[in-house]
Amino acid sequence: LSLHSEGGTPGVMPLVRAMQASGAIAYGGQLRAVHRLDRPTSGLLLLAKTSEAAGVLSGALRERRLAKYYVALSDRKPLRRQGRVRGEM
């Protein structure tokens, strides 16, 4: 999914707003998309309630003050205890 609507397909933010309108998301105020981490993967959507919070979070991402860690879930036991993924996911 794209953050915003593309080619007639609703994006994440329009879906979030629809969920707010239906009551599925209890917070009724404006939510600001700060960043969508790792679009090629399932990723994470980071939202802020205020412009100030959005600015602080955007700055932390831009200045690489936030670290990203990934956890893999599988229905089978891995062959090795841990490993490293390199390149695009």
Side-chain angles (χ1 to χ4, degrees):
L1 275 177
S2 177
L3 191 59
H4 302 286
S5 298
E6 286 183 0
T9 303
V12 173
M13 289 310 295
L15 293 174
V16 166
R17 289 185 183 100
M19 290 174 72
Q20 284 181 292
S22 73
I25 295 177
Y27 181 73
Q30 183 180 1
L31 291 171
R32 294 151 181 87
V34 175
H35 196 66
R36 169 131 187 200
L37 304 176
D38 306 319
R39 183 176 178 191
T41 65
S42 57
L44 168 80
L45 180 63
L46 182 58
L47 301 172
K49 290 182 177 181
T50 67
S51 295
E52 181 182 3
V56 169
L57 291 167
S58 292
L61 285 164
R62 185 176 47 256
E63 296 165 10
R64 300 194 184 275
R65 290 184 279 133
L66 295 178
K68 296 186 239 178
Y69 294 91
Y70 298 87
V71 176
L73 302 176
S74 175
D75 63 349
R76 288 181 263 157
K77 183 178 179 180
L79 298 175
R80 293 175 33 165
R81 184 177 169 125
Q82 62 185 83
R84 181 175 290 199
V85 176
R86 295 175 192 254
E88 295 287 325
M89 288 197 258

